[in-house]
Amino acid sequence: MQQIIGIAANQIIQHVDVFHGNHVTYTPQGFVTAVQQANGLPLVLPIGSKEAAKAYIEKIDKLLLAGGQDISPDLFGEEPHPKLEETNRNRDLFELALIEEALKQQKPIFAVCRGMQLLNVALGGTLYQDLSLYANWKVKHVQQPTQPQFATHDVNIEKDSALYQLFGAKARVNSYHHQAIHTLADTLKVSATSTDGLIESIESIDPVQRILGVQWHPELRFEAERNEFKLFDYFVNEL
Ligand SMILES: [Mn+2]
């Protein structure tokens, strides 16, 4: 059976220089193409109500959470730090509702970058609002202006993880995050870390909750580096 993969969409709501200033619902093409190449059926889910989130989860087989804005810090009990960047509260609340329903209905979740951070917050964890708040910060985690098809930093992978089955003990990844997981939610485990100790991948401790999160962007690199496609193949066909 072809798996229906719901991809939580983002919005452009204020940039006058794209789409003539019109508001747009979108997801990066890489997610769509990668899911199609893995023989999944991508379905883009526009931001909506809690009720819509429930209805969408009933219709899909698996949920994909994409990257984007910072997470609203009040969701993990903090005031906004001066270095916090753009947030979209509607997107946060809709995706939290998607996560809650996906866990309730036992639908697997693949979470990328912001998606992984939000999943951690949804399960009770916290974030560094900016990497300057992380004492051991030594690696460049915002690789701009280097293009995303190039991997720029190493991650060390835990042996007891699904990620290890895909990549082995080490991988080299791209990096576009100025936020990171601070305290990890109780029900999650770390499956990869950067050499300066930040959490770069998560999985669920409970095998009933099928979760894979990565801090990097495989959707921007899987065409240049086929190893990264393994993440989508695994998500669509195995997770
Ligand atoms: Mn990184």
Side-chain angles (χ1 to χ4, degrees), residues 140-141 153 173-177 194 200 215:
K140 186 173 167 79
H141 288 280
H153 78 64
V173 300
N174 60 14
S175 198
Y176 291 91
H177 57 109
S194 56
E200 289 274 346
Q215 183 58 71

Side-chain angles (χ1 to χ4, degrees), residues 11 27 35 37-39 59 65 67 81 90 92 100 107 118 125 133 138 149 166 169 203 213 216 218 225 231 236:
Q11 287 175 330
T27 198
V35 167
Q37 285 185 10
N39 297 315
K59 289 184 176 14
L65 297 170
H81 185 273
N90 292 343
D92 291 341
E100 190 186 326
K107 308 261 166 111
L118 187 69
L133 298 165
K138 287 189 179 69
Q149 72 266 32
L166 301 177
E203 294 174 18
W216 62 92
E225 173 50 63
L231 288 166
V236 173

Side-chain angles (χ1 to χ4, degrees), residues 64-75:
L64 199 162
L65 297 170
Q69 298 89 340
D70 286 357
I71 313 287
S72 303
D74 59 296
L75 295 173

Side-chain angles (χ1 to χ4, degrees), residues 12-23:
I12 296 176
I13 52 177
Q14 59 189 6
H15 300 284
V16 291
D17 48 339
V18 286
F19 298 108
H20 311 287
N22 293 319
H23 298 185

